[in-house]
Amino acid sequence: MLHKDYLYQPFPANPKEKIPGPPPPKGPTIEYQKNIGLWAVKLPSADSIVVRRTLTTLAENPRGLPGVNESPEWREIREAFWSTYKPAHFGVKVGTKSLFGIFGIITIGVFIGLMGKFSFGRWLLLKFPSVFSLGGFKKSGPTEDEVRSASFKMWFVGHGFSDNSQGDQLKPDMEIVTRVMGPEIGYLTTPITLLQCALVLLSQRENLPKGGVMTPGIVFGPTDLQRRLEANGISFDVISRRALSG
């Protein structure tokens, strides 16, 4: 039980990871990404918060969190992994091939945002999901054939510096595009990922942090989770690298 005086004590501010260069411009809410051929709109998502939390943890522990009873070999692996890490600003957008699709996404977001504030609105959303998602969701869920034929792609477009030592003075001069791709994201990729995370926890527990509320990145970063996911149909690819013109 918390003492009442403790509840009013301000928590210390978390340290922030120093990111080279100026923060990126906010940019338009809707934009066309030529390098991947998609229209994109900003998405209010927990993903950005989780990434920032990982950055905060690394600001406090630049070599990552030590395992509860890690071996000397694993310590070298962990420290080598995090030594290659570079901090970055991170944001999330949802993309579609057509501008019309973007307006559909915005419409669904408005429905959920406005109606979710009221009990009657939430009742309507749950009662008629197909109507308010413009056919995107339905009570019966997808068929097995629909799940088997579906897939997902996540694109990561990064701008950075070819010379870290001059990041504070220069605009980004490099771009890298990567992609994560796999089977249907909800019914297939999600359980695949959860199962492989559980197997890592079981097989490598001594090399993982003691416990607590942590982000997946800080726990599984140095492990072989990516290799396990690749063995189960989820790919991680570097699509392109190019210099940015001034």
Side-chain angles (χ1 to χ4, degrees):
M1 179 178 293
L2 293 176
H3 190 275
K4 65 180 180 65
D5 293 334
Y6 178 80
L7 294 175
Y8 295 98
Q9 293 179 2
F11 289 97
N14 290 322
K16 292 184 178 180
E17 181 71 274
K18 179 174 173 54
I19 301 176
K26 291 184 178 180
T29 301
I30 300 174
E31 65 176 331
Y32 183 69
Q33 290 279 350
K34 293 182 180 179
N35 44 7
I36 57 178
L38 294 176
W39 287 92
V41 61
K42 293 180 180 179
L43 181 67
S45 161
D47 296 344
S48 298
I49 298 172
V50 173
V51 170
R52 286 198 296 270
R53 186 63 198 175
T54 299
L55 296 178
T56 298
T57 304
L58 287 173
E60 298 170 328
N61 307 272
R63 296 182 179 181
L65 298 178
V68 64
N69 191 25
E70 67 182 6
S71 64
E73 294 79 11
W74 178 257
R75 179 179 178 179
E76 291 184 10
I77 292 173
R78 170 175 58 80
E79 293 183 352
F81 174 85
W82 290 118
S83 70
T84 64
Y85 154 82
K86 300 293 187 295
H89 297 281
F90 184 82
V92 180
K93 298 183 179 181
V94 60
T96 182
K97 291 183 178 180
S98 71
L99 183 58
F100 180 77
I102 289 293
F103 289 113
I105 293 170
I106 293 174
T107 301
I108 295 171
V110 170
F111 279 146
I112 295 174
L114 294 179
M115 300 178 69
K117 295 179 179 179
F118 310 100
S119 59
F120 180 66
R122 293 191 292 272
W123 179 84
L124 287 173
L125 290 172
L126 294 172
K127 186 70 174 178
F128 307 104
S130 181
V131 173
F132 296 105
S133 67
L134 307 182
F137 300 95
K138 53 187 179 181
K139 282 190 173 182
S140 59
T143 65
E144 291 187 8
D145 288 338
E146 288 173 334
V147 171
R148 281 195 295 265
S149 63
S151 62
F152 82 93
K153 292 179 182 177
M154 289 185 179
W155 300 87
F156 297 83
V157 181
H159 292 170
F161 306 95
S162 56
D163 184 354
N164 261 352
S165 64
Q166 300 182 22
D168 289 331
Q169 289 77 37
L170 300 177
K171 293 181 179 180
D173 62 354
M174 294 293 296
E175 177 189 84
I176 182 169
V177 178
T178 63
R179 181 187 64 200
V180 180
M181 183 170 62
E184 194 279 332
I185 195 167
Y187 292 88
L188 296 179
T189 292
T190 296
I192 287 171
T193 304
L194 289 175
L195 180 58
Q196 294 305 317
C197 287
L199 291 173
V200 171
L201 288 173
L202 287 172
S203 63
Q204 304 176 36
R205 183 64 191 93
E206 297 297 300
N207 293 328
L208 300 179
K210 180 178 179 180
V213 181
M214 301 176 187
T215 63
I218 204 67
V219 174
F220 296 105
T223 70
D224 62 347
L225 178 60
Q226 180 176 332
R227 180 187 62 78
R228 290 169 174 267
L229 295 177
E230 289 174 334
N232 284 275
I234 301 171
S235 63
F236 299 78
D237 304 299
V238 176
I239 303 303
S240 65
R241 288 188 179 93
R242 69 183 182 94
L244 295 174
S245 59

